[in-house]
Amino acid sequence: MSSLHELVQAVRDSKGVAHKKDIAIGMNALASVQPCQSSTLVGDDCAVLKSADGSYLLFAIEGFMNEFVQDDPWFAGYCGVMVNVSDIAAMGGRATAVVDAVWTSDSVQLKQILQGMAVASARYGVPIVGGHTNARNDRSQLAVSIIGTANKVLSSFEAKPGDVLMSVIDLRGQYRGAGNNWNASTEAPAERLRGDLELLALVAESGLSVACKDISMAGPLGTLLMMLECSGYGAEIVPEAFPRPEDVSLERWMQTFPSFGFVFSVAPAQVEKMKQLFNSRDLLCKEVGQVVEGSKVWLKDDAERELLWDFSETPLLGCEQLNKANDVEGEAYACGSV
């Protein structure tokens, strides 16, 4: 069995991709009750509301798996801020504030979760301005919501055939625990964390890219699948081209949440400028593939080519069908976070 074939099976069967499939359930369940406004599309990392002055209000939320919150409550709280800040950055925005909803079975875990949130809040410079707490539940649960602003928006819907797919990942970290959480944040200088995230707003405002998504628990390939499905195109991707630590296997890295990691669709003329921008802060930004016409996403290396996904046969998020069903046209802004 070929290595690419094994990688395809691992990504398809991964928990991260499976969780993304559940998004389609929510989309379809809410579409008939609360359809999106006529100028919005479903599927981006944040909801986007246009302001009277031409800027944009960004709104997102993240919920966390109960076992993660139970096993590592401090880091779960820290991630509550960190991953939401990444969602705002992926849309070309700057975070403003977060609120939380925390349920635990005792006060000890409640304090640990909130202490993790407090540390991340201080390091990223994003205040916690309210929330809900309960230490009398039968288990630990956490959800965190965020608002931010953007002058120009990056979207999952703007990838075009001929664009170069690029990825930037902060490799200055290590795995936390036995799972696939790459921690490049808790030990990094706070000023560096904030400055690195500011690059995403600069990408949007300078027009270096218009299509972006932050790498989620679905890993680099699963995240690219979501962006490509939203845009309505296929791709040819070279997994070995992604920035990756030397001592981490390709199969594990393609299922890893990297703390700071993004994928972009970039016009060829802007590729070198993208590299220069991120390399200026010691962040490795590399070309990983190309957007193509059609519905198929292929993985390839020097000797092989394997089909990863065909959206015409197997939708992932189902956003294209839902947007068509709601007769949505116009600007590609989401009314729900993924």
Side-chain angles (χ1 to χ4, degrees), residues 37 42 78 95 97 112 158 180 182 285 297 322 338:
Q37 299 174 6
V42 180
Y78 189 96
Q112 290 173 325
E158 295 299 328
N180 290 328
W182 180 260
C285 184
V297 178
L322 179 58
V338 298

Side-chain angles (χ1 to χ4, degrees), residues 198-225:
E198 177 66 16
L199 297 180
L200 279 295
L202 296 179
V203 167
E205 291 166 2
S206 62
L208 292 181
S209 174
V210 294
C212 176
K213 207 163 187 64
D214 76 308
I215 299 175
S216 67
M217 291 300 295
L221 290 176
T223 301
L224 270 178
L225 285 176

Side-chain angles (χ1 to χ4, degrees), residues 2 10 33 56 65 113 146 148 158 164 180 192 209 229 239 241 247 280:
S2 72
V33 180
Y56 301 92
M65 301 301 294
I113 293 169
I146 192 167
E158 295 299 328
V164 176
N180 290 328
R192 192 180 85 195
S209 174
E229 183 183 24
D247 59 345
S280 70

